[in-house]
Structure formats: structure tokens, C-alpha cells
Amino acid sequence: QCPTRIDETSTIVLRYKTPYFKASARVVMPPIPRHETWVVGWIQACNQMEFFNTYSDLGMSSWELPDLREGRVKAISDSDGVSYPWYGNTTETVTLVGPTNKMSRFSVSMNDNFYPSVTWAVPVSDSNVPLLTRIKRDQSFTTWLVAMNTTTKEKIILQTIKWRMRVDIEVDPLQLLGQRARLVGRTQQEQPRILSRMEPIPPNALVKPNANDAQVLMWRPKRGPPLVVIPPK
């Protein structure tokens, strides 16, 4: 329930830290009669992303997922970039190797938040003059609790969760450092929704690239053509 925290300690960047989305599940697995391996855990995908940083009347920088923006895909994997398709491989998954002759009980959990840095100055200029005036971010995610047979690739979806994170920060760059930024709009995020019906996982939410590798930082000036500041990895 806590609000997003703003950090103005750096002369180069504004940082903000959102509350955490947290998911935890207790799972009971029946005995596995065959020589099979099952992994149970969390898979997450980003469904929608708007992330704009406005610099006075000069233009805005924008983190974008081109395939999502153009509608070529419905979701992009939000894996850690190593444990595809899983969100992570510590608390996020449990591996069960058969045959087993009794039930297994265990918990899997995950958390996620935003903690980015946004430059006070225009990202494509050599100037250090603070001109940042607004940060607006709106991202939606689907998170699935899944049991997957690594031998047959059979997938059983156990839960589907939808959640959304929104950030709106107004900045007065003429103020002293430490007094420039304030949260506007809602201070609390809407709570995640556990769906009553399971939603299928789009195929590209299970494979590379993940959102961090696919995202591009654009500079979109009021006048002139847009510039790629940071290309995808």
C-alpha cells in the first residue's frame, strides 16, 4: 500500500522506487509415478508499457517495446534473462524429480518493482541543466503460476494474476535539488487481481527476448525526427 518514493540525492538523475508487487503460493503436488521432472513456479509477461519523461517544451524521452507498441506481439517475457521462461530461479521455482511415492508440499514466491534513474538533463545533450518536468509511467503485467513437465513440455496453469503499476511525478527543475519533484495523481496502486478463469500464456512470453533486453530509449523532440538513445540489447 505504500506510495512511490522519490530520491533526489543525485545531481545527475532522479530516482524513484515503487512499492513491490508480491505473489506467493503454497502448492501440493501429487506423487509423480514416472521418471519425469516437473518445475512449478512463476512466469511473468509485460502486456503494455508507457514510460514518458518530459523535458520542458523540448520533447520527451521514452522507453518503448517496439514489438508491443506496434501490436506485433501481445506480451513480452519478463524473465530475469537467464531462467526462461521462469521469472527467476531462487524462491520463484521448485523442481520435483520423479518417481516419488508421496505428496510434496512447498511454496513459491516472487516480487517485482520499479527503481529506475531518469536524467535531470535532456539525455541527448551535453548540457547538465535540469529540464525534466514530468515522469509518467503505466505498465501492465500478467503473472502465471505454472506446473511444467520438462520432459513432455506439458504446462498446467494453476493461477493467473493481473497487475498494473502507475507513476506520475511532476518536477519543477528551477527548484533546489531535494525540492523539485512530487507525486501527483493516485498515491496507492490498485491491488492485483487473481482471475477466476485461467488465461493462456502467449508463446513469445516464454522465450527471448525479455522486456529489459527488448526495450529501446527514444528521444522524441517537439521539432525534428526521433532519435534512438539506447538501442535494444
Side-chain angles (χ1 to χ4, degrees):
Q1 295 286 1
C2 67
T4 294
R5 289 209 323 266
I6 299 169
D7 175 357
E8 289 191 43
T9 51
S10 163
T11 56
I12 309 296
V13 292
L14 175 154
R15 293 190 185 93
Y16 64 84
K17 189 174 188 177
T18 65
Y20 281 93
F21 161 77
K22 293 182 177 179
S24 178
R26 291 196 303 270
V27 182
V28 179
M29 187 79 167
I32 303 167
R34 289 183 286 279
H35 285 276
E36 291 177 342
T37 300
W38 285 81
V39 180
V40 180
W42 297 103
I43 293 173
Q44 182 162 285
C46 176
N47 303 101
Q48 169 260 339
M49 175 163 98
E50 293 174 1
F51 186 176
F52 307 121
N53 309 307
T54 306
Y55 292 84
S56 183
D57 56 357
L58 297 175
M60 67 179 188
S61 67
S62 166
W63 283 102
E64 300 173 12
L65 293 164
D67 282 353
L68 204 55
R69 186 191 66 212
E70 306 297 339
R72 289 190 288 269
V73 298
K74 286 200 162 48
I76 284 182
S77 165
D78 199 26
S79 160
D80 62 4
V82 179
S83 316
Y84 290 100
W86 308 102
Y87 183 73
N89 67 354
T90 51
T91 62
E92 296 87 357
T93 58
V94 166
T95 302
L96 300 154
V97 181
T100 59
N101 55 13
K102 59 179 193 294
M103 287 196 309
S104 310
R105 294 171 187 273
F106 53 89
S107 293
V108 284
S109 62
M110 64 161 284
N111 62 59
D112 190 13
N113 80 331
F114 303 156
Y115 192 15
S117 301
V118 181
T119 56
W120 293 112
V122 172
V124 293
S125 78
D126 297 327
S127 155
N128 286 333
V129 177
L131 289 167
L132 179 68
T133 49
R134 194 75 177 257
I135 297 171
K136 286 200 84 165
R137 186 167 183 177
D138 185 351
Q139 254 177 282
S140 298
F141 298 88
T142 307
T143 309
W144 294 269
L145 180 64
V146 180
M148 190 184 291
N149 183 323
T150 61
T151 317
T152 65
K153 297 291 182 268
E154 179 191 358
K155 282 191 295 295
I156 302 168
I157 298 173
L158 306 172
Q159 289 286 0
T160 308
I161 301 169
K162 296 274 190 189
W163 63 281
R164 180 180 185 181
M165 194 83 84
R166 283 188 275 187
V167 178
D168 194 353
I169 296 170
E170 218 166 59
V171 183
D172 182 347
L174 301 176
Q175 295 296 321
L176 292 170
L177 191 66
Q179 298 169 23
R180 292 175 184 166
R182 66 184 187 97
L183 274 185
V184 289
R186 58 189 303 145
T187 54
Q188 291 189 341
Q189 303 295 331
E190 30 184 299
Q191 290 300 301
R193 292 182 298 122
I194 300 175
L195 304 192
S196 52
R197 296 177 62 178
M198 299 306 134
E199 200 168 276
I201 307 173
N204 49 290
L206 300 168
V207 294
K208 294 180 179 183
N210 69 346
N212 282 350
D213 288 350
Q215 65 184 0
V216 179
L217 182 63
M218 299 294 296
W219 169 248
R220 298 189 174 278
K222 274 273 165 64
R223 292 176 205 81
L227 269 171
V228 176
V229 184
I230 301 175
K233 290 182 182 151

